[in-house]
Amino acid sequence: MWLVFLTVPECIVCVSPGVFLIPYLLIVFVGGIPIFFLEIALGQFMKAGSINVWNIAPLFKGLGYSSMVIVFFCNTYYIMVLAWGFYYLIKSFSSTLPWSTCDNEWNTPNCLETFHHLHCGNASLANATVGGANLTCADLAEARSPIIEFWENKVLNISSGLDQPGRINWELMLCLMAVWVLVYFCVWKGVKSTGKVPFRPLGLGP
């Protein structure tokens, strides 16, 4: 439940953090936490899932279905986060990390490998030359890190707007499929087999 707070869209929090937090915290403490502990207590008592547990009160059975819908969307989002991590893991096996240089096809002319923002902290150095690249602090203000460009231009492949959906990142799609398969085998035989899944491909599991 608390992880959902960390995944709140950034635009909502930046535009009106106070207005958003008031109804959010109200729903969390009035509805979210009580229903969460109620489902856990009833689930352990009746040994049933989030849907069958509400057979004790058929009037509230819709809470079980709604919680399953919420869990589905949350799991779909977190699977995508795992796919990003798996994608970075595969790319990290290259001799030169693709997010460490500006010589890639997805980099822009504003890409700069070395930043010297510490030297530009003083207002009197606003026009000073920084580093060996003969760049001023004004030039650094428009510079972009290769890490950010790898994330936005290569991984996310952000387009210029909603009217241009862009292309499908097939590498990332394969990572997403691989993570879904891994999660399937984790829950295939229940929670007890989850810890054995990472070791079986290595021949270490029973």
Side-chain angles (χ1 to χ4, degrees):
M1 177 177 297
W2 300 110
L3 291 178
V4 178
F5 178 79
L6 300 178
T7 59
V8 174
E10 184 180 358
C11 58
I12 298 178
V13 178
C14 292
V15 173
S16 57
V19 176
F20 173 76
L21 285 178
I22 293 175
Y24 175 78
L25 294 177
L26 180 64
I27 296 300
V28 165
F29 288 104
V30 174
I33 295 178
I35 293 177
F36 175 71
F37 283 107
L38 181 61
E39 286 185 357
I40 291 178
L42 289 177
Q44 291 180 349
F45 177 74
M46 301 179 62
K47 297 181 180 179
S50 60
I51 296 179
N52 295 329
V53 73
W54 291 105
N55 290 333
I56 191 173
L59 181 63
F60 299 101
K61 198 169 184 178
L63 292 174
Y65 289 103
S66 61
S67 64
M68 292 301 297
V69 172
I70 294 174
V71 168
F72 170 76
F73 285 111
C74 289
N75 288 343
T76 303
Y77 175 81
Y78 290 130
I79 289 295
M80 193 65 230
V81 175
L82 292 176
W84 291 334
F86 188 57
Y87 183 78
Y88 270 84
L89 177 64
I90 295 176
K91 291 294 184 179
S92 65
F93 285 102
S94 59
S95 58
T96 301
L97 296 178
W99 55 83
S100 62
T101 61
C102 295
D103 301 329
N104 305 288
E105 58 180 359
W106 58 82
N107 293 122
T108 63
N110 294 330
C111 181
L112 184 63
E113 298 179 7
T114 305
F115 283 82
H116 300 276
H117 291 295
L118 295 177
H119 300 284
C120 298
N122 191 353
S124 61
L125 297 178
N127 296 321
T129 301
V130 180
N134 196 22
L135 296 174
T136 63
C137 293
D139 296 329
L140 288 179
E142 301 295 333
R144 289 171 56 86
S145 169
I147 301 175
I148 297 178
E149 292 199 345
F150 176 79
W151 168 247
E152 295 182 353
N153 301 340
K154 177 62 176 177
V155 180
L156 298 182
N157 195 14
I158 299 178
S159 61
S160 58
L162 295 177
D163 56 334
Q164 297 181 1
R167 303 186 308 271
I168 296 178
N169 191 340
W170 294 104
E171 295 179 347
L172 193 59
M173 178 175 287
L174 292 176
C175 292
L176 180 62
M177 295 173 60
V179 172
W180 270 115
V181 172
L182 180 62
V183 171
Y184 169 77
F185 282 105
C186 287
V187 299
W188 180 28
K189 292 185 178 181
V191 182
K192 294 182 180 180
S193 61
T194 303
K196 301 178 183 179
V197 172
F199 299 100
R200 285 179 179 174
L202 302 177
L204 303 178

